[in-house]
Structure formats: C-alpha cells, structure tokens
Amino acid sequence: MCQFYTCLKNMWFLCEMSKFWAKNTRLNRPVSPHISIYKWSIPMMMSISHRGTGVALSSGISAFALAALVLPESYPYYLDLIHSMTFGPQFLAFSKFALAFPVAYHTFNGIRHLAWDLGKGFKIPEVYRSGYIVVALTVLTSIGLATM
Amino acid sequence: MKILISSHRSLAALVHPGNSSDLGLLVRIMAALVRISSVCYRGVRPLLFRASSLIRPLAVQKKDRDCPYFISAKIHATPSNYAGSGSKAASLHWTGERILSIALLGLAPVAYYYPGPAVDYSLAAALTLHGHWGLGQIVTDYVHGDFKIKMANAGLFLLSTVTFAGLCYFNYHDVGICKAVGLLWSK
C-alpha cells in the first residue's frame, strides 16, 4: 500500500515536471544570464572538463568501434598507413600526448570524484588543492606516456 | 493556589483518568493553565467539545511520561508511509556507477601487465558501460521533455550497443584492445 502510494506520488511529480518543461519550451521563456556572467573558477572549469573529456573519450571509443565494423582492412594495416603519413617523431610524440592527456585527466579527476563520494575533501581549500594535484599529475603522466 | 491545583487535578482527571504520578507535575500544571487560559479567551465551548487545540498539552503530558524533560509539542506528524517505502533503483544505479569506475581503474594496470582476450573483453564491457552510464547522466542533465528524453535515451542505447559490438568484433577478428594500444605506442 505504501509502495503504491509512493509510486503515485512519483508519477505525479514526473507529470508536473514534464508539464513545466512543456510550458517552458512553448513560451520560449528567456533564461537569465548565468555562465556568461558568473566568474569562472578552477573547480568549475575542472568539472566541465571532466565531462568534456568523458564525452570526447566516449566518442573516440565509439568511432573506433564503428570503424572496426565498417572498414575492410585490419588494424595493423591502418596503423602502418597512418605511420607512413606522419611528419616525424615530434608529431608522433605530440599525438601520443594528445591521446594520453584526456585519459589521464579523466582518470585522475575521476579518483578525485570518488574521494568526494566517500565524503572526503569538500572544504574549499581541499577542493582547490586536490584540483591542482590532479592537473599536475595529468601533465606529468601525459608527458611520461608520450615519451614511452 | 489551592483552587488552581484542585481545578487542574479535576481537569487532568477529565482527560487522563489514570494519571496519578507526580512526574511532570509542573508540565501538567502548565497544561492546565493553557486550558484555563483558552477558556478565558474562547469561552467554555471549546473546552466542552474537547477541541484539538487542547490535545497539544495532552501530547506533552504523554511524552513527558516517556522522557522526563521538557519537549515542545509536536504540531505535525511525519506521515509514516514516507519511511522506507519506494524504489531503490536510482540509489543502486549510483552505487553501480561507482563500483564500475573502481573496476575500470583496477583494469588498467591488469591490461598493462597481463594483456590477453580476457582483459580485452572485460575492457570492452567496462568501457562501454561506463561511457553509456556517463552519457546517460548528461542526457538527464540537459534533455527535457518526455519525447526528447525517450529519443535521446534510445539513441544512446543504440550507440552503446554498436560500440560494444564493434569492440567485441575488434577483439575477435582483429588484434584486440590491449595489443592495439601496445602497437600504437610502439610506433
């Protein structure tokens, strides 16, 4: 009986929510400036970068998977093809850095997120400190991986 | 004072016939004063009809018997059907997301030290699911409206399915994820 009541309540809330959004979209209400006027902070930038690198990496993996299904030749063939087209060792090192950077950033910031999920590190100085550590680790790891 | 106490006792007897303990006598006196003052302000009628405003001092009396200290009267009662009921799906999903993230973290060194088909397929599954759930959160954050949400989630499901299929195909017919990364980095 309790679960039925809660289910009805949830349905009512969802209904109200979609009614709100339907009206909101229909009236095309203007949105007050928010990200265009609010001063950007390091935590803000790192948070959206975490999401951005996640989307980028996910797109990359999906593109890779799609290519594997669609392209006729095997992976070593295309790798050699790309390798023959490159402009020298610096280009290779740079592209390794460009690949490693989002992976490293998303990984280290992900660990930071998991620490928050455990309830640790919410004080503002701690947030900034852990943020700087993540950025430092990302740069060092990416450089290290690029040289491998 | 005598009249006050006697009137208080009679009033107390009216609503609480069994109440004879001295515990919280002060509370009961105060309760009685509330009732008497309400008589003064609103007349005798509410007193006779046991209006709900009089139940408040009564609640104080009952509570006082349980815990011998002053408690302010409860005005609202939390509906008991809130507690514990309802689906745990969202909460379990959240926990699943964290566990998968930790599993993926652990998979990275394993992939480096023990490359092979087992790790390849585990990576394919973990990466795809982690990405699927992450993109799902983005859809929840930015997409609004019943139809759009359904469409976005359907598209996401299709994308994740194709991704997983492609990665498994790559693992089976081609060199596999671990070897692919190794080859890429050896150039």
Side-chain angles (χ1 to χ4, degrees), chain B residues 120-157:
Chain B
D120 278 340
Y121 285 101
S122 307
L123 263 178
L127 278 172
T128 317
L129 191 56
H130 184 73
H132 178 75
W133 280 346
L135 289 172
Q137 293 290 353
I138 293 178
V139 167
T140 308
D141 277 350
Y142 300 136
V143 179
H144 303 290
D146 275 339
F147 180 72
K148 279 195 225 166
I149 292 174
K150 264 203 193 113
M151 284 292 110
N153 280 321
L156 174 62
F157 204 86

mmCIF file of all heavy atoms in Angstrom, chain B residues 120-157:
data_model
loop_
_atom_site.group_PDB
_atom_site.id
_atom_site.type_symbol
_atom_site.label_atom_id
_atom_site.label_comp_id
_atom_site.label_asym_id
_atom_site.label_seq_id
_atom_site.Cartn_x
_atom_site.Cartn_y
_atom_site.Cartn_z
ATOM 1 N N ASP B 120 40.769 -8.064 -22.693
ATOM 2 C CA ASP B 120 40.208 -7.344 -23.845
ATOM 3 C C ASP B 120 38.695 -7.226 -23.751
ATOM 4 O O ASP B 120 38.126 -6.141 -23.926
ATOM 5 C CB ASP B 120 40.582 -8.070 -25.147
ATOM 6 C CG ASP B 120 41.986 -7.716 -25.618
ATOM 7 O OD1 ASP B 120 42.495 -6.662 -25.183
ATOM 8 O OD2 ASP B 120 42.540 -8.466 -26.418
ATOM 9 N N TYR B 121 38.043 -8.373 -23.490
ATOM 10 C CA TYR B 121 36.580 -8.356 -23.429
ATOM 11 C C TYR B 121 36.080 -7.630 -22.180
ATOM 12 O O TYR B 121 35.056 -6.942 -22.212
ATOM 13 C CB TYR B 121 36.010 -9.770 -23.505
ATOM 14 C CG TYR B 121 36.083 -10.342 -24.903
ATOM 15 C CD1 TYR B 121 37.085 -11.245 -25.254
ATOM 16 C CD2 TYR B 121 35.157 -9.962 -25.873
ATOM 17 C CE1 TYR B 121 37.163 -11.755 -26.534
ATOM 18 C CE2 TYR B 121 35.240 -10.467 -27.160
ATOM 19 C CZ TYR B 121 36.237 -11.365 -27.490
ATOM 20 O OH TYR B 121 36.307 -11.859 -28.764
ATOM 21 N N SER B 122 36.834 -7.764 -21.067
ATOM 22 C CA SER B 122 36.446 -7.044 -19.849
ATOM 23 C C SER B 122 36.532 -5.542 -20.069
ATOM 24 O O SER B 122 35.646 -4.786 -19.650
ATOM 25 C CB SER B 122 37.364 -7.430 -18.686
ATOM 26 O OG SER B 122 37.419 -8.822 -18.534
ATOM 27 N N LEU B 123 37.598 -5.121 -20.753
ATOM 28 C CA LEU B 123 37.761 -3.696 -21.055
ATOM 29 C C LEU B 123 36.635 -3.209 -21.958
ATOM 30 O O LEU B 123 36.083 -2.125 -21.742
ATOM 31 C CB LEU B 123 39.108 -3.459 -21.756
ATOM 32 C CG LEU B 123 40.266 -3.001 -20.887
ATOM 33 C CD1 LEU B 123 41.515 -2.864 -21.739
ATOM 34 C CD2 LEU B 123 39.971 -1.658 -20.219
ATOM 35 N N ALA B 124 36.317 -4.035 -22.962
ATOM 36 C CA ALA B 124 35.244 -3.651 -23.887
ATOM 37 C C ALA B 124 33.944 -3.413 -23.125
ATOM 38 O O ALA B 124 33.249 -2.411 -23.319
ATOM 39 C CB ALA B 124 35.057 -4.737 -24.948
ATOM 40 N N ALA B 125 33.610 -4.355 -22.229
ATOM 41 C CA ALA B 125 32.370 -4.248 -21.465
ATOM 42 C C ALA B 125 32.409 -3.062 -20.515
ATOM 43 O O ALA B 125 31.467 -2.258 -20.456
ATOM 44 C CB ALA B 125 32.124 -5.545 -20.694
ATOM 45 N N ALA B 126 33.506 -2.937 -19.751
ATOM 46 C CA ALA B 126 33.588 -1.888 -18.737
ATOM 47 C C ALA B 126 33.613 -0.506 -19.367
ATOM 48 O O ALA B 126 32.927 0.405 -18.893
ATOM 49 C CB ALA B 126 34.831 -2.099 -17.876
ATOM 50 N N LEU B 127 34.391 -0.345 -20.437
ATOM 51 C CA LEU B 127 34.470 0.968 -21.088
ATOM 52 C C LEU B 127 33.117 1.367 -21.660
ATOM 53 O O LEU B 127 32.668 2.505 -21.497
ATOM 54 C CB LEU B 127 35.511 0.937 -22.205
ATOM 55 C CG LEU B 127 36.969 1.111 -21.780
ATOM 56 C CD1 LEU B 127 37.881 0.855 -22.960
ATOM 57 C CD2 LEU B 127 37.201 2.515 -21.242
ATOM 58 N N THR B 128 32.475 0.425 -22.340
ATOM 59 C CA THR B 128 31.188 0.733 -22.967
ATOM 60 C C THR B 128 30.140 1.091 -21.921
ATOM 61 O O THR B 128 29.416 2.083 -22.059
ATOM 62 C CB THR B 128 30.674 -0.460 -23.786
ATOM 63 O OG1 THR B 128 31.747 -1.010 -24.520
ATOM 64 C CG2 THR B 128 29.575 -0.039 -24.718
ATOM 65 N N LEU B 129 30.066 0.307 -20.852
ATOM 66 C CA LEU B 129 29.050 0.561 -19.830
ATOM 67 C C LEU B 129 29.325 1.871 -19.079
ATOM 68 O O LEU B 129 28.401 2.653 -18.813
ATOM 69 C CB LEU B 129 29.008 -0.613 -18.838
ATOM 70 C CG LEU B 129 27.825 -0.621 -17.881
ATOM 71 C CD1 LEU B 129 26.511 -0.593 -18.653
ATOM 72 C CD2 LEU B 129 27.856 -1.829 -16.972
ATOM 73 N N HIS B 130 30.596 2.125 -18.768
ATOM 74 C CA HIS B 130 30.961 3.364 -18.088
ATOM 75 C C HIS B 130 30.574 4.574 -18.942
ATOM 76 O O HIS B 130 29.995 5.555 -18.448
ATOM 77 C CB HIS B 130 32.471 3.347 -17.808
ATOM 78 C CG HIS B 130 32.961 4.525 -17.035
ATOM 79 N ND1 HIS B 130 32.715 4.701 -15.695
ATOM 80 C CD2 HIS B 130 33.697 5.602 -17.413
ATOM 81 C CE1 HIS B 130 33.269 5.828 -15.285
ATOM 82 N NE2 HIS B 130 33.873 6.391 -16.302
ATOM 83 N N GLY B 131 30.886 4.479 -20.245
ATOM 84 C CA GLY B 131 30.522 5.544 -21.172
ATOM 85 C C GLY B 131 29.013 5.683 -21.309
ATOM 86 O O GLY B 131 28.471 6.798 -21.343
ATOM 87 N N HIS B 132 28.311 4.531 -21.368
ATOM 88 C CA HIS B 132 26.856 4.554 -21.511
ATOM 89 C C HIS B 132 26.205 5.253 -20.318
ATOM 90 O O HIS B 132 25.345 6.122 -20.471
ATOM 91 C CB HIS B 132 26.340 3.125 -21.652
ATOM 92 C CG HIS B 132 24.858 3.025 -21.766
ATOM 93 N ND1 HIS B 132 24.167 3.356 -22.918
ATOM 94 C CD2 HIS B 132 23.906 2.653 -20.870
ATOM 95 C CE1 HIS B 132 22.878 3.189 -22.731
ATOM 96 N NE2 HIS B 132 22.682 2.760 -21.495
ATOM 97 N N TRP B 133 26.635 4.869 -19.123
ATOM 98 C CA TRP B 133 26.060 5.492 -17.923
ATOM 99 C C TRP B 133 26.443 6.970 -17.808
ATOM 100 O O TRP B 133 25.643 7.799 -17.390
ATOM 101 C CB TRP B 133 26.511 4.710 -16.679
ATOM 102 C CG TRP B 133 25.720 3.466 -16.454
ATOM 103 C CD1 TRP B 133 24.540 3.142 -17.047
ATOM 104 C CD2 TRP B 133 26.038 2.398 -15.557
ATOM 105 N NE1 TRP B 133 24.103 1.916 -16.572
ATOM 106 C CE2 TRP B 133 24.997 1.438 -15.663
ATOM 107 C CE3 TRP B 133 27.092 2.150 -14.685
ATOM 108 C CZ2 TRP B 133 24.983 0.259 -14.926
ATOM 109 C CZ3 TRP B 133 27.075 0.964 -13.947
ATOM 110 C CH2 TRP B 133 26.043 0.037 -14.065
ATOM 111 N N GLY B 134 27.684 7.286 -18.191
ATOM 112 C CA GLY B 134 28.106 8.687 -18.133
ATOM 113 C C GLY B 134 27.308 9.557 -19.093
ATOM 114 O O GLY B 134 26.810 10.629 -18.725
ATOM 115 N N LEU B 135 27.149 9.086 -20.329
ATOM 116 C CA LEU B 135 26.364 9.850 -21.306
ATOM 117 C C LEU B 135 24.899 9.911 -20.876
ATOM 118 O O LEU B 135 24.199 10.900 -21.126
ATOM 119 C CB LEU B 135 26.490 9.212 -22.689
ATOM 120 C CG LEU B 135 27.867 9.371 -23.349
ATOM 121 C CD1 LEU B 135 27.962 8.541 -24.615
ATOM 122 C CD2 LEU B 135 28.144 10.834 -23.677
ATOM 123 N N GLY B 136 24.435 8.863 -20.193
ATOM 124 C CA GLY B 136 23.070 8.861 -19.659
ATOM 125 C C GLY B 136 22.849 9.987 -18.668
ATOM 126 O O GLY B 136 21.800 10.640 -18.657
ATOM 127 N N GLN B 137 23.865 10.261 -17.836
ATOM 128 C CA GLN B 137 23.759 11.372 -16.885
ATOM 129 C C GLN B 137 23.682 12.698 -17.616
ATOM 130 O O GLN B 137 22.961 13.616 -17.204
ATOM 131 C CB GLN B 137 24.967 11.378 -15.937
ATOM 132 C CG GLN B 137 25.046 10.194 -14.996
ATOM 133 C CD GLN B 137 23.971 10.239 -13.930
ATOM 134 O OE1 GLN B 137 23.221 11.204 -13.790
ATOM 135 N NE2 GLN B 137 23.870 9.176 -13.155
ATOM 136 N N ILE B 138 24.426 12.801 -18.720
ATOM 137 C CA ILE B 138 24.418 14.044 -19.492
ATOM 138 C C ILE B 138 23.033 14.260 -20.100
ATOM 139 O O ILE B 138 22.507 15.383 -20.115
ATOM 140 C CB ILE B 138 25.520 14.009 -20.570
ATOM 141 C CG1 ILE B 138 26.888 14.016 -19.885
ATOM 142 C CG2 ILE B 138 25.396 15.185 -21.519
ATOM 143 C CD1 ILE B 138 28.047 13.924 -20.833
ATOM 144 N N VAL B 139 22.451 13.167 -20.629
ATOM 145 C CA VAL B 139 21.091 13.260 -21.176
ATOM 146 C C VAL B 139 20.125 13.731 -20.092
ATOM 147 O O VAL B 139 19.306 14.632 -20.306
ATOM 148 C CB VAL B 139 20.644 11.900 -21.763
ATOM 149 C CG1 VAL B 139 19.163 11.896 -22.045
ATOM 150 C CG2 VAL B 139 21.420 11.582 -23.026
ATOM 151 N N THR B 140 20.236 13.130 -18.895
ATOM 152 C CA THR B 140 19.356 13.520 -17.792
ATOM 153 C C THR B 140 19.514 14.993 -17.441
ATOM 154 O O THR B 140 18.538 15.681 -17.130
ATOM 155 C CB THR B 140 19.665 12.669 -16.546
ATOM 156 O OG1 THR B 140 19.624 11.303 -16.905
ATOM 157 C CG2 THR B 140 18.651 12.928 -15.445
ATOM 158 N N ASP B 141 20.757 15.492 -17.510
ATOM 159 C CA ASP B 141 21.004 16.876 -17.125
ATOM 160 C C ASP B 141 20.462 17.876 -18.139
ATOM 161 O O ASP B 141 19.916 18.911 -17.760
ATOM 162 C CB ASP B 141 22.520 17.107 -16.967
ATOM 163 C CG ASP B 141 23.019 16.671 -15.603
ATOM 164 O OD1 ASP B 141 22.176 16.378 -14.721
ATOM 165 O OD2 ASP B 141 24.248 16.634 -15.412
ATOM 166 N N TYR B 142 20.639 17.577 -19.428
ATOM 167 C CA TYR B 142 20.395 18.624 -20.415
ATOM 168 C C TYR B 142 19.164 18.416 -21.279
ATOM 169 O O TYR B 142 18.708 19.356 -21.914
ATOM 170 C CB TYR B 142 21.622 18.774 -21.341
ATOM 171 C CG TYR B 142 22.885 19.140 -20.606
ATOM 172 C CD1 TYR B 142 24.088 18.508 -20.904
ATOM 173 C CD2 TYR B 142 22.888 20.098 -19.597
ATOM 174 C CE1 TYR B 142 25.245 18.825 -20.225
ATOM 175 C CE2 TYR B 142 24.041 20.421 -18.918
ATOM 176 C CZ TYR B 142 25.224 19.788 -19.230
ATOM 177 O OH TYR B 142 26.366 20.095 -18.562
ATOM 178 N N VAL B 143 18.621 17.210 -21.332
ATOM 179 C CA VAL B 143 17.478 16.955 -22.212
ATOM 180 C C VAL B 143 16.200 16.978 -21.389
ATOM 181 O O VAL B 143 16.095 16.312 -20.360
ATOM 182 C CB VAL B 143 17.626 15.584 -22.918
ATOM 183 C CG1 VAL B 143 16.427 15.319 -23.794
ATOM 184 C CG2 VAL B 143 18.899 15.559 -23.740
ATOM 185 N N HIS B 144 15.215 17.773 -21.856
ATOM 186 C CA HIS B 144 13.955 17.876 -21.121
ATOM 187 C C HIS B 144 12.775 17.629 -22.040
ATOM 188 O O HIS B 144 12.831 17.883 -23.236
ATOM 189 C CB HIS B 144 13.831 19.260 -20.496
ATOM 190 C CG HIS B 144 14.979 19.583 -19.601
ATOM 191 N ND1 HIS B 144 15.175 18.971 -18.393
ATOM 192 C CD2 HIS B 144 16.016 20.431 -19.761
ATOM 193 C CE1 HIS B 144 16.276 19.450 -17.843
ATOM 194 N NE2 HIS B 144 16.806 20.333 -18.656
ATOM 195 N N GLY B 145 11.715 17.131 -21.472
ATOM 196 C CA GLY B 145 10.509 16.847 -22.254
ATOM 197 C C GLY B 145 10.427 15.359 -22.525
ATOM 198 O O GLY B 145 11.366 14.741 -23.000
ATOM 199 N N ASP B 146 9.273 14.794 -22.251
ATOM 200 C CA ASP B 146 9.066 13.333 -22.332
ATOM 201 C C ASP B 146 9.617 12.718 -23.605
ATOM 202 O O ASP B 146 10.408 11.767 -23.569
ATOM 203 C CB ASP B 146 7.562 13.032 -22.258
ATOM 204 C CG ASP B 146 7.092 12.948 -20.830
ATOM 205 O OD1 ASP B 146 7.948 12.724 -19.960
ATOM 206 O OD2 ASP B 146 5.887 13.117 -20.579
ATOM 207 N N PHE B 147 9.174 13.252 -24.748
ATOM 208 C CA PHE B 147 9.540 12.641 -26.036
ATOM 209 C C PHE B 147 11.035 12.750 -26.284
ATOM 210 O O PHE B 147 11.687 11.780 -26.688
ATOM 211 C CB PHE B 147 8.746 13.318 -27.159
ATOM 212 C CG PHE B 147 9.056 12.753 -28.513
ATOM 213 C CD1 PHE B 147 8.611 11.482 -28.860
ATOM 214 C CD2 PHE B 147 9.803 13.463 -29.434
ATOM 215 C CE1 PHE B 147 8.905 10.954 -30.102
ATOM 216 C CE2 PHE B 147 10.104 12.940 -30.678
ATOM 217 C CZ PHE B 147 9.649 11.675 -31.019
ATOM 218 N N LYS B 148 11.596 13.947 -26.018
ATOM 219 C CA LYS B 148 13.022 14.144 -26.276
ATOM 220 C C LYS B 148 13.864 13.225 -25.407
ATOM 221 O O LYS B 148 14.878 12.686 -25.859
ATOM 222 C CB LYS B 148 13.402 15.607 -26.002
ATOM 223 C CG LYS B 148 13.058 16.555 -27.140
ATOM 224 C CD LYS B 148 13.776 17.882 -26.982
ATOM 225 C CE LYS B 148 12.818 19.024 -27.246
ATOM 226 N NZ LYS B 148 13.324 20.317 -26.795
ATOM 227 N N ILE B 149 13.465 13.056 -24.161
ATOM 228 C CA ILE B 149 14.227 12.177 -23.270
ATOM 229 C C ILE B 149 14.208 10.746 -23.805
ATOM 230 O O ILE B 149 15.243 10.069 -23.843
ATOM 231 C CB ILE B 149 13.641 12.227 -21.833
ATOM 232 C CG1 ILE B 149 13.896 13.595 -21.219
ATOM 233 C CG2 ILE B 149 14.242 11.144 -20.962
ATOM 234 C CD1 ILE B 149 13.242 13.784 -19.870
ATOM 235 N N LYS B 150 13.013 10.299 -24.226
ATOM 236 C CA LYS B 150 12.900 8.934 -24.764
ATOM 237 C C LYS B 150 13.784 8.773 -25.986
ATOM 238 O O LYS B 150 14.485 7.762 -26.120
ATOM 239 C CB LYS B 150 11.443 8.650 -25.157
ATOM 240 C CG LYS B 150 10.650 7.952 -24.124
ATOM 241 C CD LYS B 150 9.456 7.201 -24.714
ATOM 242 C CE LYS B 150 8.547 6.817 -23.558
ATOM 243 N NZ LYS B 150 7.266 7.496 -23.551
ATOM 244 N N MET B 151 13.743 9.768 -26.887
ATOM 245 C CA MET B 151 14.529 9.687 -28.117
ATOM 246 C C MET B 151 16.017 9.674 -27.809
ATOM 247 O O MET B 151 16.778 8.879 -28.381
ATOM 248 C CB MET B 151 14.191 10.870 -29.033
ATOM 249 C CG MET B 151 12.880 10.732 -29.739
ATOM 250 S SD MET B 151 12.895 9.401 -30.954
ATOM 251 C CE MET B 151 11.826 8.233 -30.150
ATOM 252 N N ALA B 152 16.448 10.564 -26.927
ATOM 253 C CA ALA B 152 17.867 10.657 -26.576
ATOM 254 C C ALA B 152 18.354 9.355 -25.963
ATOM 255 O O ALA B 152 19.433 8.849 -26.317
ATOM 256 C CB ALA B 152 18.103 11.817 -25.620
ATOM 257 N N ASN B 153 17.579 8.788 -25.067
ATOM 258 C CA ASN B 153 17.987 7.532 -24.442
ATOM 259 C C ASN B 153 18.004 6.386 -25.434
ATOM 260 O O ASN B 153 18.873 5.509 -25.369
ATOM 261 C CB ASN B 153 17.075 7.207 -23.256
ATOM 262 C CG ASN B 153 17.460 7.982 -22.013
ATOM 263 O OD1 ASN B 153 18.642 8.170 -21.738
ATOM 264 N ND2 ASN B 153 16.488 8.445 -21.267
ATOM 265 N N ALA B 154 17.059 6.394 -26.376
ATOM 266 C CA ALA B 154 17.041 5.353 -27.407
ATOM 267 C C ALA B 154 18.285 5.449 -28.269
ATOM 268 O O ALA B 154 18.944 4.438 -28.564
ATOM 269 C CB ALA B 154 15.778 5.484 -28.254
ATOM 270 N N GLY B 155 18.606 6.693 -28.675
ATOM 271 C CA GLY B 155 19.808 6.903 -29.479
ATOM 272 C C GLY B 155 21.065 6.484 -28.735
ATOM 273 O O GLY B 155 21.963 5.850 -29.309
ATOM 274 N N LEU B 156 21.113 6.824 -27.462
ATOM 275 C CA LEU B 156 22.266 6.447 -26.645
ATOM 276 C C LEU B 156 22.399 4.935 -26.558
ATOM 277 O O LEU B 156 23.494 4.386 -26.669
ATOM 278 C CB LEU B 156 22.118 7.047 -25.247
ATOM 279 C CG LEU B 156 23.165 6.635 -24.221
ATOM 280 C CD1 LEU B 156 24.542 7.088 -24.656
ATOM 281 C CD2 LEU B 156 22.822 7.231 -22.863
ATOM 282 N N PHE B 157 21.253 4.255 -26.366
ATOM 283 C CA PHE B 157 21.277 2.800 -26.270
ATOM 284 C C PHE B 157 21.810 2.192 -27.557
ATOM 285 O O PHE B 157 22.628 1.262 -27.540
ATOM 286 C CB PHE B 157 19.866 2.282 -25.973
ATOM 287 C CG PHE B 157 19.859 0.948 -25.314
ATOM 288 C CD1 PHE B 157 19.961 0.842 -23.942
ATOM 289 C CD2 PHE B 157 19.771 -0.209 -26.070
ATOM 290 C CE1 PHE B 157 19.966 -0.391 -23.322
ATOM 291 C CE2 PHE B 157 19.783 -1.454 -25.461
ATOM 292 C CZ PHE B 157 19.873 -1.546 -24.087
#
